[in-house]
Amino acid sequence: MSTTDTDAQRAPVPPGWPGDDPTLPDDLDALGARWWWWVGRRTRGRRVGALEGPGSRSSDADRTGERAAEGDGDDWPADDVAVADDELDLDDDPGGAGPRWTDRFRWRGSPPEDREPPDDDEPLPVDDDDLVAGVQPAGRVLVVLVATLVLALLVNVDDLVARVEAQPPGPARDRTLAVLHPVQDVGNALQLTRIRDALDALSGDGGDGPAATGRDGARRQDGDRAAPRGDGGDEPAGDGEGEEGTERDDGPRAPTPDDPLRVWVGGDFMAQAIGRSLAAAGDATGVVETEVRYEAASGLTRRDYFDWPAAVEEALDEHDPEVVVLVLGVNDAQGIVRPDGTPAQVDEPGWADEYGRRVGELMDRLGGDGRLVVWIGPPPMREPGYSARMAAITAIYAEQAATRPWVHVVDLARVVGGPDGAYADAVADPASGAPVAVRQPDGIHLTDVGSDLVAAHVMDLLRSQVDLSGAPGGDG
Amino acid sequence: MQFPTVAFAIFFLAAFVANWLLRPHPLVWRATMIAFSLYFCAWVDVRFALVVLGVAALGWAAAAAAHRAMPEGDPTPVSRRIVRAAVAAEVAVLAALAYRGFLVDSVTGALERLGWSGSEPVVDVVVPVGISIYVLHAIGYLVDVGRGEVEPVAFADLLLYLCFFPHLVAGPVVRVDELVPQFHERPDPRRVPATDAFVLVGSGLVKAVVIAPWLAEELVDPAFAAPAQASGLELLVAAYGVAVQVYAAFSGATDIAIGCGLLLGIEYPRAFDAPFAALSVRDFWDRWNLTLSHWLRDYVYVPLGGSWRGRHLRPRNVMVTMVVGGLWYGAGWNFALWGVVHGVYVIAEQAAAARAERREPTALLPTALTAPVHWFVTFHLVCLAFVVYRAGTVGDAVEVLGRVLTLAPGGAGLVTPLVLAVLAATVASHFVPTEVTYGARARFSTLAPAAQVAVLAAGLTLIAALGPDGPLPFGRLPF
């Protein structure tokens, strides 16, 4: 039933409303009834005309229509929820006294004046349609919306940064990240991001994950890990053109539970997922301790954005890792600036030379002291052009590693690609042979299963180089 | 622009403020909402906004011309010709932009089978956001005006009706007389049904962001990527999974749209009404994407003749309508075939119902079992059709169904207790009356704003944590 009295349709003034204004308010301050006033106040029961949203079945039933009765489509399956034509007369004067079209949505039951006046002392009636619909002034809704989004943004900012950096490189992504990074700093400073971390841990999405996440490693858990071993961190291994770091006979020692193998994982957003899987796999051995450092949208082309050589230097000083796993390349298909200040675009001949030079320098810096370097290239991507650029980058890694035996390049096309190394949504699980989805719907990200496959591949590689049985006997 | 993104959240907040501040000024309000909607369209490519403008201009001009050709208010031969030409033009726009690849592939495939080796270079056309929605709206408007059911509306009203951003992604598909009158109303800004809107947006996010992509990744995609690896039982569960996944993706998107509309003072009709509780396939279509079903009935089935041009034509009309509906869900022969399967279902049900009317009623089943058996059969028929929907080719569908029916051995470890629990919970939710949530809604409504913020932020965080790591799979929705 609908009412025809437009005055009756107007809601009574809610508690706190500044006066019984007969006209509808026009500004947000009025709409919100001074929003700050509402903070901390409970909404009192306002039992006025019952609003029915479109989500209830009865409202659909009300629309049972006469269209079907026209005989045109009387046997069409959806006939009995047709819209009543007589309620949809466009000629209705919206301001007139006749029934308004939206009445059928908005007003059901008795007109407001037929109801008893609200009594603030009376318990809230839970069967009140208005209360169920949660009718509120627009200004208050705006305050709730803004506060909700700000709070949710601060809690989830790490995840958002990872999502944005999954997008192909470009100015839009850079702009978004420029906005999100300060928010990320605030979220970390307020410790709000820990809420999301805890949820991820509960859902098994990183519960056994790496000790450190985030762009600044602020939440790294060093715990009581042993102090850096040896003094290799002070040695400028980069001088030796690779030869210096080739004491392969030494290799990483055989770790024990008391003195685990120190693995450091660094890289872009892929490092987050792969590092998490790698940390879990390492934990399972009982003799591997993993640190992860990832940086959104980073790579080796844009040192002005993030300086990986400096970050690696810092990691060598701080952790003295015996195994370094680098996951880079996804963000690197963009212009690069050569040492002489001239830029080179991706497709220009000088680009590969400059990129290769940077890769080689970093590989050299990581060599020495028997350190093992696992360099994971980007996987094939669904978008063919993007995928071709990733393949070219992986080829540069392989070329640079060819003369540096301490570096092992992992070509992800062989791990999460199809039989021909091309992009594949799903691959056969090496263990069971069952198909497993390794890529997310965006055609860029790895799924958790995909990350686990990569981690298993890296662990196999480690086992071929290091005795991970945990048996004592390593020379420490 | 996709719904569950920070960009959309900021966009929506701006639209929300502008909406309520400008609502007292109808012209400014309409211009502003059009600007917001065109910006939403142009988010990916500015040319998409031009497509909307073109579709609207064509629809508006043709409707005005048709109306002028109807001096008595009834259709005339001239008005019919104008409407038909305009509808054909709108369909051509849709085919050119959304179905071009499908059409070219189909034609070249057929030519190659006939011995023609010339391959047509396929231009990679990016499909404009929401094109199927606003072209459907434009066609509906043209036909309604041509039938004399509605008066032509102002260009601004038509443009806003076509491209109003909440319904652009996946509907609901609404009639012009359901939406345009609301543009002339002024909803009370003190009475925004916030809890209803939050519940709709929240449930939509859970379905579209958590359930649909999770089921796809854990069950459906691996099962259908290599059906030979999965056991028959796993493929059966995967068939249930497809049904629940598609339902979650589409109903989630429409729930978000309806919730956003409520926050702006615009009310949309409900699109999904517990489809898995259906007791017959016709009942299913009475609950599945209702607004699209209504559009198909009014603008495809009825113009074809419905049932009144002769019972012998009714099966053809049902089948054509179902195939058109199937193609709305995607440009591929599997979607068309999905429509064919449902067409067969509906035709068979109509025939069975007609035969039952002529006979003495006989109880084949005990009364207590009638509804459960009908539900069981309907649910499995629907899931069977969804195998066709999901399988890339007829061969794949046959392989999957063959392995299901023969209970083929094997096992890819796809069916876990959690997968079964999610499927069961989603289907079971269809049997829970809406009233059950009223208590919780009322309690939320009475919370202080700060507490509401905490609850909503916690919900968003939970959804984000349980959702996929990458961008959200709204690309699987139709155009």
Side-chain angles (χ1 to χ4, degrees):
Chain A
M1 190 174 100
S2 62
T3 176
T4 60
D5 185 346
T6 51
D7 285 333
Q9 292 169 9
R10 188 163 295 128
V13 177
W17 187 260
D20 188 0
D21 187 351
T23 61
L24 297 179
D26 289 351
D27 61 275
L28 277 182
D29 186 47
L31 304 185
R34 300 187 300 273
W35 64 267
W36 46 266
W37 186 90
W38 288 88
V39 176
R41 286 289 295 261
R42 291 167 67 88
T43 305
R44 299 307 181 103
R46 287 177 287 120
R47 295 168 298 145
V48 290
L51 183 146
E52 184 177 16
S56 63
R57 292 209 61 182
S58 55
S59 67
D60 285 335
D62 280 353
R63 295 169 215 173
T64 300
E66 289 75 22
R67 187 175 301 278
E70 292 170 2
D72 290 351
D74 55 347
D75 57 346
W76 183 248
D79 274 343
D80 55 1
V81 281
V83 178
D85 282 348
D86 60 350
E87 292 182 354
L88 303 178
D89 188 355
L90 278 176
D91 292 329
D92 273 358
D93 176 11
R100 303 197 307 176
W101 179 80
T102 48
D103 289 348
R104 67 195 178 91
F105 289 110
R106 193 166 292 132
W107 298 97
R108 294 176 60 78
S110 304
E113 65 269 28
D114 293 346
R115 299 206 176 191
E116 295 177 2
D119 180 358
D120 282 357
D121 296 330
E122 191 179 323
L124 290 166
V126 293
D127 59 344
D128 188 333
D129 287 352
D130 219 17
L131 190 60
V132 168
V135 175
Q136 297 177 13
R140 182 179 146 160
V141 176
L142 177 64
V143 171
V144 171
L145 282 175
V146 170
T148 298
L149 291 172
V150 168
L151 184 57
L153 181 65
L154 289 171
V155 171
N156 297 283
V157 66
D158 282 347
D159 180 56
L160 276 171
V161 167
R163 286 176 192 272
V164 173
E165 69 180 354
Q167 298 168 4
R173 190 180 68 158
D174 292 346
R175 279 197 301 272
T176 310
L177 288 173
V179 172
L180 283 180
H181 280 157
V183 178
Q184 193 175 26
D185 291 337
V186 174
N188 284 330
L190 296 175
Q191 305 287 312
L192 287 173
T193 49
R194 282 178 177 272
I195 298 171
R196 176 60 190 270
D197 291 345
L199 265 181
D200 287 342
L202 276 177
S203 66
D205 192 14
D208 297 321
T213 57
R215 60 193 285 257
D216 55 7
R219 286 168 288 123
R220 186 182 295 116
Q221 298 167 357
D222 283 330
D224 56 359
R225 197 169 54 76
R229 185 176 56 85
D231 57 359
D234 296 332
E235 292 179 8
D239 297 341
E241 295 296 329
E243 307 292 334
E244 202 166 320
T246 58
E247 298 169 337
R248 306 305 306 151
D249 291 341
D250 294 346
R253 72 209 156 79
T256 64
D258 293 333
D259 191 7
L261 186 73
R262 298 185 300 279
V263 175
W264 184 82
V265 183
D268 50 39
F269 66 93
M270 290 262 177
Q272 182 191 19
I274 293 173
R276 192 165 55 208
S277 298
L278 206 49
D283 286 350
T285 67
V287 294
V288 175
E289 188 176 68
T290 309
E291 297 281 341
V292 178
R293 171 84 185 268
Y294 72 91
E295 173 63 32
S298 66
L300 293 178
T301 50
R302 293 283 305 276
R303 281 174 125 164
D304 56 321
Y305 173 69
F306 189 79
D307 191 349
W308 269 112
V312 165
E313 199 71 49
E314 183 186 328
L316 294 181
D317 288 344
E318 191 173 350
H319 303 294
D320 186 27
E322 297 160 282
V323 176
V324 169
V325 180
L326 278 178
V327 190
L328 290 169
V330 172
N331 305 302
D332 279 342
Q334 53 180 312
I336 200 167
V337 179
R338 285 175 281 215
D340 61 2
T342 57
Q345 297 306 316
V346 180
D347 300 328
E348 293 176 4
W351 188 92
D353 295 339
E354 173 58 18
Y355 190 73
R357 186 187 70 76
R358 294 184 184 192
V359 171
E361 274 189 5
L362 190 53
M363 287 178 174
D364 288 340
R365 178 62 193 97
L366 287 168
D369 199 26
R371 186 176 298 115
L372 186 67
V373 178
V374 180
W375 197 297
I376 301 178
M381 304 295 183
R382 181 182 289 150
E383 202 274 304
Y386 190 18
S387 194
R389 292 193 289 274
M390 295 301 102
I393 284 175
T394 302
I396 291 175
Y397 296 156
E399 181 187 344
Q400 294 296 323
T403 55
R404 296 172 174 89
W406 61 92
V407 181
H408 296 257
V409 172
V410 175
D411 183 358
L412 287 192
R414 296 183 179 181
V415 184
V416 293
D420 53 355
Y423 174 85
D425 284 325
V427 301
D429 186 353
S432 64
V436 287
V438 292
R439 306 305 287 269
Q440 295 196 15
D442 60 359
I444 297 173
H445 275 91
L446 297 175
T447 60
D448 288 346
V449 175
S451 300
D452 289 345
L453 282 184
V454 176
H457 185 87
V458 173
M459 289 304 292
D460 288 344
L461 179 62
L462 283 186
R463 286 193 184 90
S464 71
Q465 303 286 318
V466 187
D467 177 10
L468 295 182
S469 64
D475 60 7
Chain B
M1 193 183 293
Q2 297 178 336
F3 280 148
T5 59
V6 176
F8 179 76
I10 295 168
F11 168 87
F12 183 78
L13 283 178
F16 181 89
V17 173
N19 174 72
W20 289 109
L21 281 182
L22 300 176
R23 206 65 199 247
H25 315 287
L27 280 178
V28 181
W29 175 81
R30 265 178 286 180
T32 308
M33 287 299 113
I34 288 171
F36 271 102
S37 299
L38 290 179
Y39 180 78
F40 186 90
C41 292
W43 181 260
V44 176
D45 190 325
V46 72
R47 287 171 296 183
F48 294 173
L50 300 178
V51 176
V52 182
L53 286 168
V55 168
L58 173 64
W60 180 76
H67 186 68
R68 278 196 298 274
M70 299 161 53
E72 305 294 325
D74 294 323
T76 61
V78 175
S79 72
R80 284 199 183 97
R81 275 199 293 275
I82 292 172
V83 169
R84 280 177 191 154
V87 167
E90 302 280 17
V91 170
V93 170
L94 183 63
L97 291 174
Y99 292 89
R100 185 178 186 280
F102 168 63
L103 295 173
V104 170
D105 286 350
S106 301
V107 171
T108 52
L111 288 177
E112 281 173 8
R113 277 193 292 278
L114 291 172
W116 290 64
S117 59
S119 59
E120 165 78 10
V122 175
V123 179
D124 192 13
V125 178
V126 182
V127 180
V129 175
I131 184 168
S132 75
I133 301 291
Y134 57 74
V135 169
L136 260 52
H137 279 179
I139 292 172
Y141 168 69
L142 279 165
V143 174
D144 280 352
V145 171
R147 286 173 178 164
E149 292 182 358
V150 298
E151 297 284 317
V153 299
F155 180 71
D157 281 339
L158 179 63
L159 182 57
L160 186 55
Y161 160 65
L162 296 187
C163 71
F164 194 45
F165 68 86
H167 65 235
L168 263 189
V169 174
V173 180
V174 283
R175 296 171 62 107
V176 65
D177 48 11
E178 286 180 296
L179 205 55
V180 170
Q182 296 192 65
F183 297 158
H184 295 271
E185 296 281 340
R186 189 181 165 200
D188 189 336
R190 294 170 299 187
R191 302 183 46 76
V192 179
T195 300
D196 272 357
F198 293 151
V199 168
L200 280 165
V201 173
S203 67
L205 286 173
V206 167
K207 285 188 278 191
V209 176
V210 178
I211 294 178
W214 185 80
L215 278 177
E217 181 174 337
E218 295 293 320
L219 175 66
V220 175
D221 288 352
F224 281 83
Q229 308 272 357
S231 69
L233 205 58
E234 283 177 327
L235 289 171
L236 176 65
V237 177
Y240 300 152
V242 178
V244 172
Q245 180 204 346
V246 176
Y247 160 77
F250 279 92
S251 75
T254 51
D255 279 357
I256 295 170
I258 295 169
C260 289
L262 276 183
L263 288 173
L264 298 174
I266 299 291
E267 306 208 24
Y268 285 105
R270 193 176 196 188
F272 287 81
D273 188 11
F276 296 140
L279 299 181
S280 70
V281 175
R282 287 187 293 176
D283 187 21
F284 173 79
W285 283 102
D286 203 2
R287 298 160 173 270
W288 177 275
N289 217 348
L290 285 170
T291 55
L292 180 69
S293 294
H294 293 164
W295 188 94
L296 291 168
R297 177 200 61 201
D298 293 341
Y299 305 114
V300 180
Y301 185 70
V302 168
L304 283 171
S307 61
W308 55 276
R309 277 190 186 165
R311 288 202 166 271
H312 64 288
L313 285 179
R314 192 167 69 179
R316 182 204 68 174
N317 299 338
V318 168
M319 190 61 78
V320 171
T321 308
M322 284 297 186
V323 170
V324 171
L327 285 174
W328 182 81
Y329 286 86
W333 286 112
N334 51 324
F335 299 108
L337 198 57
W338 178 67
V340 169
V341 172
H342 270 285
V344 171
Y345 289 164
V346 171
I347 292 166
E349 273 192 4
Q350 287 173 339
R355 195 172 60 177
E357 278 178 13
R358 294 193 298 268
R359 292 186 174 183
E360 293 264 329
T362 52
L364 294 174
L365 292 165
T367 310
L369 282 180
T370 304
V373 168
H374 282 194
W375 172 82
F376 183 85
V377 172
T378 303
F379 181 69
H380 283 81
L381 287 174
V382 167
C383 291
L384 170 74
F386 272 118
V387 170
V388 178
Y389 178 104
R390 178 59 177 77
T393 63
V394 175
D396 288 349
V398 170
E399 182 186 2
V400 169
L401 293 175
R403 291 184 70 80
V404 170
L405 292 175
T406 58
L407 289 176
L414 299 175
V415 178
T416 62
L418 187 57
V419 163
L420 292 175
V422 168
L423 293 177
T426 309
V427 175
S429 71
H430 286 47
F431 296 92
V432 179
T434 311
E435 292 76 9
V436 169
T437 65
Y438 282 5
R441 291 181 189 218
R443 277 193 293 278
F444 176 84
S445 301
T446 58
L447 289 176
Q452 289 186 345
V453 167
V455 170
L456 294 174
L460 278 181
T461 301
L462 204 58
I463 289 167
L466 295 175
D469 289 343
L472 297 162
F474 267 87
R476 294 181 184 183
L477 290 176
F479 316 113

